[in-house]
Amino acid sequence: MVPKRVLGRPAGVSLIVEGKVKETMHNAFWDHLKEQLSASPPDFSCALELLKEIKEILLSLLLPRQNRLRSEIEEALDMDFLKQEAEHGGLDVPYLSKYILNMMTLLCAPVRDEEVQKLENIADPVRLLRGIFQVLGLMKMDMVNYTIQSLQPRLQEHSIQYERAKFQELLNKQPGLLDHTTKWLTQAAADLTTPPPSCPDTPDASGVAGTSSREAINSPEPVSPAMVLSQGFLNLLLWDPENEEFPETLLTDRTRLQELESQLHQLTILASVLLVASSFSGSVLFGSPQFVDKLKRITKSLMEEFNSRPEEAMLTVSEQVSQEIHQSLKNMGLVALSSDNTASLIGQLQNIAKKENCVRSVIDQRIHLFLKCCLVLGVQRSLLDLPGGLTLIETELAELGQKFVSLTHHNQQVFGPYYTEILQSLISPAQALETKVESP
């Protein structure tokens, strides 16, 4: 941080040169301050300007209710009084610096305690003032962050109320504005009573034991509003782009949902490749994070090509992955894949390009199950109980899950009352007590 009086932004100067200019001006100010205080008699003009800025910063760090501290700072750093002392050569800079340090100790966040304590060991008055100014700059940023965090709930609540009010205005003018939303939730309710399509497990796609949280989510139980809404949100990630009957309450989020759908698709391919590769190379290679990361990079680099030319993309992936496995086994002194196993590996990887591929279908179902868990249990708890085949993409899944939960949570906060009314007509009377959709 640099005192205001020496700041400047030279027009047309490159960022590098501008940085050097600022640094030079910065150092020049402190050198000039040292010369003034070392003069006989001392010149306090720069020190007074600096104390004025420090006073302004300290006052800006106060909360509205801290009136006593405000009065104390105003009195201790009364600029008119300090000017009079300076004119008579009696301005006690070390004493004022000590007072400022004490005030910083009271006002700083705990994370700054150590930095403030270090300043107490500086005897040179100019170095001390320079350090004070630098730490005060950090404290200002702390206050900005605190203010943003404290305002966030109110801003979020205002955003929710504003969006809901605007939608209600449109609904008043267009009574049929919730028709597509009603149809969307009706389909979600119907999906919950229809068994999902199954894909016979293969050696590559097997090995998933039903664990507690997934069993709880998939266990047969009466359909609840929360279940219908979660299913509805999941269905949006499978939305047919030709279907124009997109829910009205989610139109503003459609682009973000499409991005999440694309991310989900990429993770399905990535996890499928890793699952097939691991079945051929064993736990030794896949116990190496570097090896797994390399396979991820190979697959991710061809994702864009996969969207337009899946067969060609998977041909390249299969060749590169098989080469990487072969080379890694060789480097570790392990038995290389036989020609039959290599051919089988390449063939199974290439088959991932087909939408009906069993490994790909199972992985896709498991990622959807993970996202369903995220909606019900939260992302962190869901990560503790990942379905088989997904552990190698845990980091990527966490990012996807957090984005999906954030989007659906905000949407539910805004449109919860409308969903409640629609679901009352879809849920049986026996579940009437559960029909309110929460708007946290």
Side-chain angles (χ1 to χ4, degrees), residues 361-401:
S361 298
V362 170
I363 291 295
D364 183 68
Q365 290 173 16
R366 292 175 184 175
I367 294 179
H368 277 84
L369 176 58
F370 166 74
L371 292 175
K372 188 174 185 178
C373 288
C374 288
L375 294 177
V376 177
L377 305 174
V379 177
Q380 293 307 314
R381 283 184 61 188
S382 302
L383 288 171
L384 297 175
D385 188 23
L386 283 176
L390 302 186
T391 53
L392 294 174
I393 59 166
E394 180 177 343
T395 301
E396 294 86 350
L397 280 177
E399 179 186 350
L400 175 65

Side-chain angles (χ1 to χ4, degrees), residues 156-172 177-182 184-185 225 229 233 236 246-254 256-257 406-424 435-440:
Q156 186 176 11
E157 180 60 28
H158 176 76
S159 172
I160 291 167
Q161 298 298 334
Y162 177 80
E163 287 184 56
R164 189 183 297 163
K166 285 295 181 183
F167 186 81
Q168 185 61 49
E169 288 179 11
L170 293 173
L171 186 59
N172 292 339
L177 192 57
L178 286 170
D179 288 352
H180 294 166
T181 301
T182 302
W184 162 62
L185 290 175
L229 197 55
F233 287 135
L236 295 172
F246 201 80
E248 298 89 347
T249 54
L250 285 139
L251 283 173
T252 56
D253 294 317
R254 188 168 190 176
R256 291 174 62 197
L257 284 164
S406 296
L407 186 153
T408 56
H409 179 70
H410 180 77
N411 179 267
Q412 189 173 335
Q413 286 182 307
V414 175
F415 298 103
Y418 302 104
Y419 296 148
T420 296
E421 187 174 348
I422 294 171
L423 290 168
Q424 284 176 343
T435 55
K436 183 176 180 181
V437 174
E438 292 185 5
S439 307

Side-chain angles (χ1 to χ4, degrees), residues 1-4 50-62 73 77 104 107 132-141 143:
M1 185 174 183
V2 184
K4 297 174 186 174
L50 191 58
L51 289 170
K52 182 180 178 182
E53 289 194 38
I54 289 174
K55 175 184 176 181
E56 292 174 359
I57 295 173
L58 288 174
L59 291 174
S60 73
L61 297 175
L62 297 177
I73 293 172
L77 297 177
M104 289 169 66
L107 298 177
I132 285 173
F133 214 85
Q134 290 173 339
V135 176
L136 280 174
L138 298 175
M139 290 171 62
K140 279 184 70 175
M141 290 305 301
M143 176 56 72

Side-chain angles (χ1 to χ4, degrees), residues 250-268:
L250 285 139
L251 283 173
T252 56
D253 294 317
R254 188 168 190 176
T255 299
R256 291 174 62 197
L257 284 164
Q258 289 172 338
E259 292 171 356
L260 292 179
E261 181 183 1
S262 174
Q263 189 175 346
L264 187 154
H265 175 69
Q266 292 177 7
L267 290 185
T268 299

Side-chain angles (χ1 to χ4, degrees), residues 103-114:
M103 192 57 61
M104 289 169 66
T105 302
L106 288 175
L107 298 177
C108 73
V111 70
R112 303 298 173 200
D113 285 342
E114 185 177 348

Side-chain angles (χ1 to χ4, degrees), residues 193-205:
T193 60
T194 305
S198 60
C199 178
D201 276 347
T202 66
D204 303 309

Side-chain angles (χ1 to χ4, degrees), residues 183-378:
K183 189 172 182 179
W184 162 62
L185 290 175
T186 302
Q187 181 61 53
D191 291 343
L192 288 174
T193 60
T194 305
S198 60
C199 178
D201 276 347
T202 66
D204 303 309
S206 62
V208 182
T211 50
S212 56
S213 66
R214 294 199 299 276
E215 286 176 350
I217 288 175
N218 284 330
S219 61
E221 59 182 62
V223 174
S224 70
M227 292 170 61
V228 174
L229 197 55
S230 294
Q231 184 63 43
F233 287 135
L234 288 168
N235 288 349
L236 295 172
L237 298 177
L238 299 169
W239 197 266
D240 181 358
E242 302 297 323
N243 186 354
E244 295 298 327
E245 297 183 345
F246 201 80
E248 298 89 347
T249 54
L250 285 139
L251 283 173
T252 56
D253 294 317
R254 188 168 190 176
T255 299
R256 291 174 62 197
L257 284 164
Q258 289 172 338
E259 292 171 356
L260 292 179
E261 181 183 1
S262 174
Q263 189 175 346
L264 187 154
H265 175 69
Q266 292 177 7
L267 290 185
T268 299
I269 303 304
L270 177 61
S272 299
V273 169
L274 295 176
L275 182 59
V276 170
S278 66
S279 69
F280 282 88
S281 53
S283 59
V284 177
L285 288 186
F286 272 77
S288 166
Q290 293 80 8
F291 176 77
V292 175
D293 287 342
K294 193 158 189 179
L295 294 194
K296 284 184 177 182
R297 288 196 299 272
I298 291 172
T299 308
K300 289 178 179 179
S301 66
L302 292 161
M303 281 302 178
E304 286 189 16
E305 183 181 346
F306 187 93
N307 294 330
S308 57
R309 295 181 298 171
E311 289 79 10
E312 290 86 340
M314 286 312 303
L315 175 60
T316 305
V317 168
S318 64
E319 291 173 348
Q320 292 186 16
V321 167
S322 64
Q323 289 173 8
E324 188 61 35
I325 290 175
H326 176 79
Q327 189 60 46
S328 296
L329 289 172
K330 183 178 179 181
N331 292 342
M332 297 181 71
L334 300 173
V335 178
L337 294 180
S338 66
S339 57
D340 288 344
N341 282 340
T342 300
S344 180
L345 168 63
I346 292 175
Q348 289 194 35
L349 289 173
Q350 289 179 3
N351 284 337
I352 293 173
K354 302 173 183 177
K355 291 183 178 180
E356 65 274 13
N357 175 258
C358 194
V359 174
R360 178 173 165 181
S361 298
V362 170
I363 291 295
D364 183 68
Q365 290 173 16
R366 292 175 184 175
I367 294 179
H368 277 84
L369 176 58
F370 166 74
L371 292 175
K372 188 174 185 178
C373 288
C374 288
L375 294 177
V376 177
L377 305 174

